PDB file of all heavy atoms in Angstrom:
ATOM      1  N   THR A  83      12.209   0.004  -3.884  1.00 96.00           N
ATOM      2  CA  THR A  83      12.925   0.872  -3.035  1.00 96.00           C
ATOM      3  C   THR A  83      12.104   2.086  -2.831  1.00 96.00           C
ATOM      4  O   THR A  83      11.401   2.592  -3.700  1.00 96.00           O
ATOM      5  CB  THR A  83      14.276   1.318  -3.664  1.00 96.00           C
ATOM      6  OG1 THR A  83      15.008   0.191  -3.991  1.00 96.00           O
ATOM      7  CG2 THR A  83      15.061   2.286  -2.834  1.00 96.00           C
ATOM      8  N   LEU A  84      12.073   2.582  -1.555  1.00 96.00           N
ATOM      9  CA  LEU A  84      11.239   3.739  -1.197  1.00 96.00           C
ATOM     10  C   LEU A  84      11.978   4.920  -1.765  1.00 96.00           C
ATOM     11  O   LEU A  84      13.138   5.187  -1.592  1.00 96.00           O
ATOM     12  CB  LEU A  84      11.215   3.892   0.336  1.00 96.00           C
ATOM     13  CG  LEU A  84      10.295   5.063   0.893  1.00 96.00           C
ATOM     14  CD1 LEU A  84       8.857   4.924   0.436  1.00 96.00           C
ATOM     15  CD2 LEU A  84      10.428   5.140   2.354  1.00 96.00           C
ATOM     16  N   VAL A  85      11.264   5.731  -2.629  1.00 96.00           N
ATOM     17  CA  VAL A  85      11.741   6.950  -3.251  1.00 96.00           C
ATOM     18  C   VAL A  85      11.386   8.147  -2.482  1.00 96.00           C
ATOM     19  O   VAL A  85      12.210   9.034  -2.240  1.00 96.00           O
ATOM     20  CB  VAL A  85      11.275   7.000  -4.749  1.00 96.00           C
ATOM     21  CG1 VAL A  85      11.814   8.338  -5.366  1.00 96.00           C
ATOM     22  CG2 VAL A  85      11.706   5.790  -5.523  1.00 96.00           C
ATOM     23  N   ASN A  86      10.125   8.238  -2.147  1.00 93.00           N
ATOM     24  CA  ASN A  86       9.524   9.447  -1.443  1.00 93.00           C
ATOM     25  C   ASN A  86       8.765   8.998  -0.262  1.00 93.00           C
ATOM     26  O   ASN A  86       7.981   8.004  -0.396  1.00 93.00           O
ATOM     27  CB  ASN A  86       8.718  10.253  -2.349  1.00 93.00           C
ATOM     28  CG  ASN A  86       9.451  10.906  -3.501  1.00 93.00           C
ATOM     29  OD1 ASN A  86      10.407  11.593  -3.250  1.00 93.00           O
ATOM     30  ND2 ASN A  86       9.043  10.658  -4.690  1.00 93.00           N
ATOM     31  N   LEU A  87       8.903   9.707   0.801  1.00 91.00           N
ATOM     32  CA  LEU A  87       8.065   9.317   1.988  1.00 91.00           C
ATOM     33  C   LEU A  87       6.616   9.803   1.767  1.00 91.00           C
ATOM     34  O   LEU A  87       6.452  10.991   1.656  1.00 91.00           O
ATOM     35  CB  LEU A  87       8.716  10.014   3.257  1.00 91.00           C
ATOM     36  CG  LEU A  87       8.155   9.484   4.528  1.00 91.00           C
ATOM     37  CD1 LEU A  87       8.371   7.999   4.773  1.00 91.00           C
ATOM     38  CD2 LEU A  87       8.800  10.291   5.729  1.00 91.00           C
ATOM     39  N   PRO A  88       5.681   8.910   1.617  1.00 88.00           N
ATOM     40  CA  PRO A  88       4.323   9.272   1.411  1.00 88.00           C
ATOM     41  C   PRO A  88       3.688   9.978   2.580  1.00 88.00           C
ATOM     42  O   PRO A  88       4.004   9.647   3.712  1.00 88.00           O
ATOM     43  CB  PRO A  88       3.641   8.023   1.045  1.00 88.00           C
ATOM     44  CG  PRO A  88       4.434   6.976   1.788  1.00 88.00           C
ATOM     45  CD  PRO A  88       5.822   7.451   1.884  1.00 88.00           C
ATOM     46  N   GLU A  89       2.631  10.755   2.321  1.00 85.00           N
ATOM     47  CA  GLU A  89       1.911  11.333   3.432  1.00 85.00           C
ATOM     48  C   GLU A  89       0.856  10.236   3.864  1.00 85.00           C
ATOM     49  O   GLU A  89       0.463   9.353   3.031  1.00 85.00           O
ATOM     50  CB  GLU A  89       1.113  12.501   2.981  1.00 85.00           C
ATOM     51  CG  GLU A  89       1.896  13.670   2.673  1.00 85.00           C
ATOM     52  CD  GLU A  89       1.104  14.957   2.330  1.00 85.00           C
ATOM     53  OE1 GLU A  89      -0.082  15.000   2.732  1.00 85.00           O
ATOM     54  OE2 GLU A  89       1.683  15.789   1.656  1.00 85.00           O
ATOM     55  N   ARG A  90       0.478  10.187   5.139  1.00 81.00           N
ATOM     56  CA  ARG A  90      -0.453   9.266   5.667  1.00 81.00           C
ATOM     57  C   ARG A  90      -1.744   9.570   5.060  1.00 81.00           C
ATOM     58  O   ARG A  90      -2.108  10.754   4.777  1.00 81.00           O
ATOM     59  CB  ARG A  90      -0.515   9.319   7.178  1.00 81.00           C
ATOM     60  CG  ARG A  90       0.695   8.679   7.802  1.00 81.00           C
ATOM     61  CD  ARG A  90       0.479   8.505   9.270  1.00 81.00           C
ATOM     62  NE  ARG A  90       1.346   7.553   9.774  1.00 81.00           N
ATOM     63  CZ  ARG A  90       2.192   7.732  10.840  1.00 81.00           C
ATOM     64  NH1 ARG A  90       2.116   8.871  11.516  1.00 81.00           N
ATOM     65  NH2 ARG A  90       2.989   6.835  11.241  1.00 81.00           N
ATOM     66  N   ARG A  91      -2.561   8.535   4.794  1.00 73.00           N
ATOM     67  CA  ARG A  91      -3.908   8.766   4.177  1.00 73.00           C
ATOM     68  C   ARG A  91      -4.867   8.406   5.246  1.00 73.00           C
ATOM     69  O   ARG A  91      -4.712   7.479   5.973  1.00 73.00           O
ATOM     70  CB  ARG A  91      -4.129   7.848   2.962  1.00 73.00           C
ATOM     71  CG  ARG A  91      -3.119   8.126   1.849  1.00 73.00           C
ATOM     72  CD  ARG A  91      -3.280   7.238   0.718  1.00 73.00           C
ATOM     73  NE  ARG A  91      -2.229   7.556  -0.285  1.00 73.00           N
ATOM     74  CZ  ARG A  91      -2.265   6.952  -1.428  1.00 73.00           C
ATOM     75  NH1 ARG A  91      -3.148   6.054  -1.746  1.00 73.00           N
ATOM     76  NH2 ARG A  91      -1.170   7.237  -2.309  1.00 73.00           N
ATOM     77  N   GLU A  92      -6.051   9.051   5.269  1.00 69.00           N
ATOM     78  CA  GLU A  92      -7.069   8.742   6.099  1.00 69.00           C
ATOM     79  C   GLU A  92      -7.959   7.598   5.498  1.00 69.00           C
ATOM     80  O   GLU A  92      -8.281   7.639   4.283  1.00 69.00           O
ATOM     81  CB  GLU A  92      -8.102   9.930   6.362  1.00 69.00           C
ATOM     82  CG  GLU A  92      -7.327  11.052   7.126  1.00 69.00           C
ATOM     83  CD  GLU A  92      -8.423  12.129   7.504  1.00 69.00           C
ATOM     84  OE1 GLU A  92      -9.556  11.774   7.660  1.00 69.00           O
ATOM     85  OE2 GLU A  92      -7.961  13.284   7.559  1.00 69.00           O
ATOM     86  N   ARG A  93      -8.181   6.609   6.340  1.00 59.00           N
ATOM     87  CA  ARG A  93      -8.922   5.440   5.862  1.00 59.00           C
ATOM     88  C   ARG A  93     -10.418   5.943   5.632  1.00 59.00           C
ATOM     89  O   ARG A  93     -10.965   6.637   6.477  1.00 59.00           O
ATOM     90  CB  ARG A  93      -8.908   4.290   6.856  1.00 59.00           C
ATOM     91  CG  ARG A  93      -7.484   3.710   6.900  1.00 59.00           C
ATOM     92  CD  ARG A  93      -7.524   2.435   7.633  1.00 59.00           C
ATOM     93  NE  ARG A  93      -6.197   1.884   7.548  1.00 59.00           N
ATOM     94  CZ  ARG A  93      -5.939   0.646   7.879  1.00 59.00           C
ATOM     95  NH1 ARG A  93      -6.820  -0.147   8.242  1.00 59.00           N
ATOM     96  NH2 ARG A  93      -4.702   0.219   7.778  1.00 59.00           N
ATOM     97  N   ALA A  94     -11.017   5.405   4.614  1.00 54.00           N
ATOM     98  CA  ALA A  94     -12.468   5.697   4.450  1.00 54.00           C
ATOM     99  C   ALA A  94     -13.235   5.026   5.545  1.00 54.00           C
ATOM    100  O   ALA A  94     -12.960   3.864   5.930  1.00 54.00           O
ATOM    101  CB  ALA A  94     -12.825   5.073   3.088  1.00 54.00           C
ATOM    102  N   ALA A  95     -14.215   5.760   6.084  1.00 49.00           N
ATOM    103  CA  ALA A  95     -14.981   5.185   7.135  1.00 49.00           C
ATOM    104  C   ALA A  95     -15.862   4.041   6.739  1.00 49.00           C
ATOM    105  O   ALA A  95     -16.357   4.069   5.606  1.00 49.00           O
ATOM    106  CB  ALA A  95     -15.935   6.277   7.710  1.00 49.00           C
ATOM    107  N   GLN A  96     -15.918   3.012   7.404  1.00 48.00           N
ATOM    108  CA  GLN A  96     -16.658   1.827   7.208  1.00 48.00           C
ATOM    109  C   GLN A  96     -18.137   2.133   7.459  1.00 48.00           C
ATOM    110  O   GLN A  96     -18.452   2.716   8.480  1.00 48.00           O
ATOM    111  CB  GLN A  96     -16.276   0.628   7.927  1.00 48.00           C
ATOM    112  CG  GLN A  96     -14.837   0.213   7.565  1.00 48.00           C
ATOM    113  CD  GLN A  96     -14.625  -0.234   6.142  1.00 48.00           C
ATOM    114  OE1 GLN A  96     -15.571  -0.732   5.585  1.00 48.00           O
ATOM    115  NE2 GLN A  96     -13.563   0.078   5.597  1.00 48.00           N
ATOM    116  N   PRO A  97     -19.113   1.883   6.622  1.00 46.00           N
ATOM    117  CA  PRO A  97     -20.577   2.145   6.962  1.00 46.00           C
ATOM    118  C   PRO A  97     -20.976   1.283   8.050  1.00 46.00           C
ATOM    119  O   PRO A  97     -20.667   0.079   8.172  1.00 46.00           O
ATOM    120  CB  PRO A  97     -21.227   1.796   5.639  1.00 46.00           C
ATOM    121  CG  PRO A  97     -20.293   0.890   4.824  1.00 46.00           C
ATOM    122  CD  PRO A  97     -18.918   1.274   5.313  1.00 46.00           C
ATOM    123  N   SER A  98     -21.778   1.941   8.863  1.00 45.00           N
ATOM    124  CA  SER A  98     -22.325   1.149  10.047  1.00 45.00           C
ATOM    125  C   SER A  98     -23.558   0.330   9.538  1.00 45.00           C
ATOM    126  O   SER A  98     -24.032   0.619   8.394  1.00 45.00           O
ATOM    127  CB  SER A  98     -22.780   2.085  11.085  1.00 45.00           C
ATOM    128  OG  SER A  98     -23.944   2.869  10.754  1.00 45.00           O
TER     129      SER A  98
END
Side-chain angles (χ1 to χ4, degrees):
T83 304
L84 183 63
V85 176
N86 294 305
L87 193 60
E89 291 185 26
R90 286 190 162 129
R91 299 179 184 184
E92 291 187 32
R93 290 188 179 199
Q96 298 296 325
S98 68

